[in-house]
Amino acid sequence: MGKLIAIANQKGGVGKTTTTVNLAACLGVLDKKVLLIDADPQANASSGLGIDVDTVELGTYQLLEHNCTAQEAIQKTSATNVDIISAHIDLVAIEIELVNVEQREYMLKQAIESVKSDYDYILIDCAPSLGLLTLNALTAADSVIIPIQCEYFALEGLGKLLNTIKSVQKIHNEHLDIEGLLLTMYDSRLRLSNQVVEEVQNHFTNMVFKTIIQRNVRLSEAPSHGESIIYYDVNSKGATNYLSLAKEIISKQ
């Protein structure tokens, strides 16, 4: 059975999509079969893996509406061993459309049950909110990775997210674990970056990944080429960091 990991934080710009895309590609390179589910209406994870989002006919939106099967929505990507269920801007409407549907928090869980055994890992790129889309991801997931950027206000909102995770554990998914807190956008030259790392590690100890994602120009260039960092520049710091994260996650299993 595939391990299903949601990458979530209601704060925008913390490296959720960057992490989802590059972790998926690195797990794929390490011979793991991966499915990426893009649950963010901005569809950046889809375009970051070379998918033309304007041509997506069956994706996360149709899947959540139960208008298609997971098998029908899955597309191949250019990354080795990585498939995707793409997002589309239509996904914005899902919160309103599902509001009166019974068991609306379980729509994603039910929809992907049939493909879980086809993959080693299923990664869900969550929207930067704690709405119904993210709730569906957390209800379906085995665990959650929380990216935290090494900048001022890094821990702002984290308590809210941890409370949401607690209530999901209580009501919808008692097996949901925290896979780890991932420090991103780290710049060793900045005192602030080092302070944030220290603060997070002191406060959350074993919950924090050993791997830290450093600031890296190549990492921010890669999505505009529709490629993950491992294909765009295998020798970059970003590729080294995400390979290290992939190995850390595999070693936990």
Side-chain angles (χ1 to χ4, degrees):
M1 274 297 247
K3 182 169 193 181
L4 209 147
I5 304 175
I7 291 87
N9 190 331
Q10 77 274 25
K11 278 186 70 144
V14 297
K16 275 190 301 292
T17 301
T18 303
T19 294
T20 312
V21 167
N22 292 305
L23 178 56
C26 289
L27 286 167
V29 163
L30 295 169
D31 285 334
K32 300 295 178 186
K33 205 161 177 339
V34 183
L35 173 63
L36 192 160
I37 299 173
D38 192 347
D40 183 349
Q42 294 172 83
N44 291 339
S46 305
S47 55
L49 280 174
I51 303 291
D52 180 356
V53 294
D54 293 329
T55 63
V56 172
E57 287 178 12
L58 297 177
T60 316
Y61 174 73
Q62 287 78 13
L63 191 69
L64 283 162
E65 290 275 6
H66 288 190
N67 288 338
C68 72
T69 64
Q71 285 90 341
E72 289 170 329
I74 289 169
Q75 288 176 272
K76 293 255 168 259
T77 73
S78 54
T80 307
N81 291 326
V82 180
D83 292 344
I84 191 168
I85 296 178
S86 300
H88 188 275
I89 192 65
D90 287 356
L91 204 49
V92 166
I94 204 82
E95 311 246 336
I96 297 157
E97 288 172 21
L98 291 183
V99 77
N100 293 321
V101 174
E102 274 200 30
Q103 295 218 303
R104 57 186 180 270
E105 298 90 353
Y106 298 88
M107 299 302 269
L108 185 60
K109 185 182 172 75
Q110 292 161 2
I112 58 176
E113 204 56 53
S114 60
V115 295
K116 266 191 97 169
S117 54
D118 299 341
Y119 295 93
D120 297 306
Y121 291 94
I122 299 174
L123 305 182
I124 309 174
D125 185 30
C126 295
S129 77
L130 293 177
L132 192 53
L133 274 171
T134 299
L135 199 51
N136 260 273
L138 295 175
T139 300
D142 298 308
S143 64
V144 54
I145 291 173
I146 303 170
I148 299 172
Q149 87 274 45
C150 297
E151 288 173 6
Y152 199 59
F153 295 137
L155 299 180
E156 195 190 53
L158 186 59
K160 205 173 179 183
L161 177 58
L162 293 174
N163 285 338
T164 300
I165 290 168
K166 265 189 203 139
S167 65
V168 169
Q169 287 166 329
K170 210 178 286 179
I171 304 164
H172 304 296
N173 180 3
E174 61 179 349
H175 303 295
L176 180 65
D177 274 333
I178 292 177
E179 188 76 23
L181 306 183
L182 177 67
L183 290 157
T184 62
M185 304 178 195
Y186 172 70
D187 186 339
S188 58
R189 297 165 304 179
L190 299 179
R191 205 169 95 217
L192 180 63
S193 267
N194 292 303
Q195 282 172 340
V196 171
V197 169
E198 207 176 304
E199 196 177 334
V200 173
Q201 287 173 341
N202 287 342
H203 198 71
F204 295 101
T205 56
N206 297 339
M207 285 166 69
V208 188
F209 283 109
K210 290 186 181 70
T211 303
I212 295 175
I213 309 300
Q214 292 165 282
R215 261 197 194 284
N216 180 231
V217 176
R218 307 296 275 167
L219 207 48
S220 43
E221 287 172 356
S224 62
H225 297 266
E227 290 183 334
S228 67
I229 190 63
I230 199 89
Y231 292 92
Y232 182 64
D233 186 351
V234 72
N235 297 313
S236 66
K237 255 188 215 157
T240 308
N241 291 164
Y242 278 109
L243 264 175
S244 165
L245 178 65
K247 288 173 183 167
E248 198 174 335
I249 285 169
I250 292 167
S251 71
K252 280 182 161 192
Q253 291 251 172

